Amino acid sequence: MSSTTPPVPAMTRPSRSAPRPPSPVPVLAHLMIWGGAAAVLALWWSDTPSVVGAAGWLTGAGRITGLLAGYACAILLLLMARAPLLDRAVGTDRLARWHAMGGRYTVSLACAHVLLIIWGYSLESHTGVVDQTTTLVLHYPDLLKGTIGFSLFLVTAIVSARAVRRRLPYETWHLLHFATYLAVFLAFGHQLSDGADFTGDRTAQMVWYALYITVAALLAWYRFAVPVRRALRHRLYVAEVRPEAPGVVSVYLSGSGLAELRAEPGQFFRWRFLTRGMWWAANPYSLSAAPRPAYLRITVKASGGHSAALAQLRPGTRVCAEGPYGAFTARRRRARKTLLLGGGVGITPLRALFETLPGEVILVYRARRPEDLALRGELDALAAARGAAVHYVVDELAAYFSPLTPEALRGLVPDLAERDVFLCGPSGMTEAAVAALRGAGVPRGRIHHESFAL
């Protein structure tokens, strides 16, 4: 136990900020992404005076899919660069969904590119597919590197498939995902060396270089340089670990100049605990209380090796924190009334929002057993202090009453359709809740949710 034990968080006065209009950044981001794709197609069009015969059509399609796959690689890395403008305006969770969807398109485009180019070249040279593949890989400049990069993309796609990822610890999946950096590097050289749209076109080469150098600079700055700088500045350490429920602990973290982090309730950090067996992994955990100048707090349920090890942390353990990340904050509020809907340990960011959100707030908290209702004492105290309603629903009751139907939600919150909804919990619960909320008349733009499957 630390000699400077942090107090149990007291209530912070809710902000009086008015609801904000939706940010235009997500729409602008979509327009820029699709505008770039159109520019890539224009590059192919300008370099293709005509297309003749089956071989020409196949090769042309292969060039198009290759250009789009190369462009998509840069966009995928940009979405995960953790640039503050995108992260705060769009939200880490939404960016992760865009990244996952874009990854599927990118791998599909890369596969199509490989198959179409081999097929088209084999028709043009009147050789078999196997012979043509061998010739391309072994005799074209940088194509062996491109082949290795393509193979790494396939491996990343396999480990990211939902059925496989469920069986992998988060730390293992995250480490394997870094193979995409090497894959992109290898594919980049292949495109400039072999791509018909780049050979001899200095302008196209410079634009491609500018795109990738910009993305690489953002990645290097926000994913590596900024975390190191903040670690040296704030010198975070574990102040105390407190049990909250079976398998659930709160970790209090202190350091220097924590207010400079400008963390907001609802956000999360990626935490790296510098102790044996944990230093190599940076896992995302939300703040479970409004940030204080003296300390931050996370509350974590043991669901894997890393999260279970948090209960054994000793006071004084050094910590590196990347963040704050996420747009699951009061900035998303559109209405003056709010429903907070949480499941399991998804209560953690909602606990921080319950403390600080202005206006009329109702909290619905679902757990498997009464003893799994983590932070219940704090939630009751906050509800009493601000005159808010809290509804606890456990699975024993769900056999007779499920809170995740339109009728049940309207029974708990009669004016549900007039409220913003902040939703956080396991992915299955989140999907069911979104469907129920839409069925209850809540506009999609006022359902703000954060996944626990980043």
Side-chain angles (χ1 to χ4, degrees):
M1 191 74 68
S2 171
S3 59
T4 56
T5 301
V8 174
M11 179 174 175
T12 298
R13 180 174 296 178
S15 166
R16 295 186 179 181
S17 60
R20 302 188 182 194
S23 169
V25 173
V27 176
L28 292 175
H30 269 293
L31 291 175
M32 292 181 67
I33 290 171
W34 288 109
V40 168
L41 293 176
L43 173 63
W44 172 83
W45 182 267
S46 66
D47 287 336
T48 308
S50 63
V51 179
V52 180
W57 283 105
L58 289 169
T59 304
R63 286 169 53 196
I64 291 174
T65 52
L67 284 169
L68 289 174
Y71 170 71
C73 285
I75 297 302
L76 289 179
L77 295 179
L78 178 62
L79 292 176
M80 291 290 100
R82 300 173 190 167
L85 175 62
L86 279 176
D87 190 79
R88 290 181 179 270
V90 179
T92 306
D93 183 64
R94 190 189 297 182
L95 289 174
R97 291 197 297 273
W98 289 2
H99 176 82
M101 180 179 64
R104 291 189 285 272
Y105 288 134
T106 303
V107 172
S108 299
L109 287 168
C111 289
H113 165 69
V114 170
L115 296 174
L116 289 167
I117 287 292
I118 292 174
W119 191 4
Y121 277 30
S122 66
L123 288 179
E124 186 175 341
S125 60
H126 305 288
T127 58
V129 171
V130 175
D131 289 339
Q132 187 60 53
T133 301
T134 303
T135 300
L136 287 171
V137 172
L138 298 181
H139 299 291
Y140 277 60
D142 288 327
L143 202 52
L144 180 58
K145 295 179 182 178
T147 302
I148 296 172
F150 174 65
S151 301
L152 290 174
F153 271 123
L154 291 181
V155 171
T156 304
I158 291 170
V159 300
S160 298
R162 184 174 297 183
V164 177
R165 187 176 170 183
R166 284 175 179 170
R167 293 170 169 79
L168 287 176
Y170 170 83
E171 298 83 5
T172 303
W173 170 83
H174 192 258
L175 187 63
L176 291 172
H177 217 66
F178 275 104
T180 54
Y181 290 122
L182 179 58
V184 171
F185 173 76
L186 294 171
F188 176 78
H190 147 64
Q191 281 200 306
L192 292 181
S193 298
D194 302 310
D197 301 286
F198 294 106
T199 53
D201 189 336
R202 189 65 176 169
T203 301
Q205 291 177 12
M206 295 307 295
V207 170
W208 212 246
Y209 269 115
L211 172 64
Y212 273 84
I213 289 173
T214 299
V215 172
L218 290 172
L219 282 168
W221 179 252
Y222 288 114
R223 295 201 65 166
F224 298 100
V226 169
V228 170
R229 187 184 65 173
R230 287 181 174 173
L232 296 174
R233 167 67 184 92
H234 300 293
R235 300 182 63 81
L236 281 168
Y237 64 91
V238 174
E240 186 187 357
V241 179
R242 289 182 183 170
E244 301 286 1
V248 179
V249 297
S250 286
V251 181
Y252 291 79
L253 305 114
S254 190
S256 303
L258 299 186
E260 297 173 14
L261 291 170
R262 295 189 295 175
E264 300 179 43
Q267 290 189 306
F268 70 94
F269 289 76
R270 285 181 168 86
W271 306 92
R272 188 184 303 273
F273 297 93
L274 304 183
T275 187
R276 185 176 180 180
M278 300 181 70
W279 62 269
W280 57 276
N283 283 31
Y285 299 122
S286 298
L287 298 175
S288 62
R292 265 70 173 180
Y295 67 91
L296 305 173
R297 188 184 78 172
I298 58 175
T299 301
V300 181
K301 181 178 181 178
S303 57
H306 188 277
S307 54
L310 295 184
Q312 307 303 319
L313 287 173
R314 296 186 177 184
T317 300
R318 290 292 179 182
V319 183
C320 290
E322 302 173 30
Y325 297 126
F328 192 66
T329 68
R331 295 171 183 266
R332 283 194 176 181
R333 193 169 60 98
R334 305 285 175 262
R336 297 189 178 276
K337 297 180 180 180
T338 308
L339 168 65
L340 305 179
L341 178 56
V345 79
I347 193 62
T348 54
L350 300 181
R351 154 64 180 84
L353 289 170
F354 193 40
E355 179 181 347
T356 55
L357 272 178
E360 183 186 322
V361 181
I362 294 177
L363 172 66
V364 176
Y365 181 13
R366 185 181 187 183
R368 292 185 177 181
R369 303 171 299 173
E371 56 267 31
D372 292 330
L373 294 168
L375 308 174
R376 181 170 184 171
E378 293 182 20
L379 296 173
D380 289 336
L382 290 171
R386 66 180 301 161
V390 180
H391 301 286
Y392 299 107
V393 179
V394 294
D395 278 355
E396 287 97 328
L397 298 177
Y400 309 97
F401 166 79
S402 172
L404 300 182
T405 64
E407 297 74 21
L409 287 173
R410 279 195 295 260
L412 292 172
V413 189
D415 57 354
L416 177 60
E418 303 172 14
R419 294 177 178 264
D420 268 305
V421 180
F422 286 79
L423 168 65
C424 189
S427 57
M429 174 257 181
T430 300
E431 292 170 5
V434 169
L437 291 166
R438 295 288 290 126
V442 181
R444 186 175 298 275
R446 287 204 268 115
I447 301 174
H448 319 294
H449 61 92
E450 184 162 87
S451 170
F452 265 21
L454 282 179

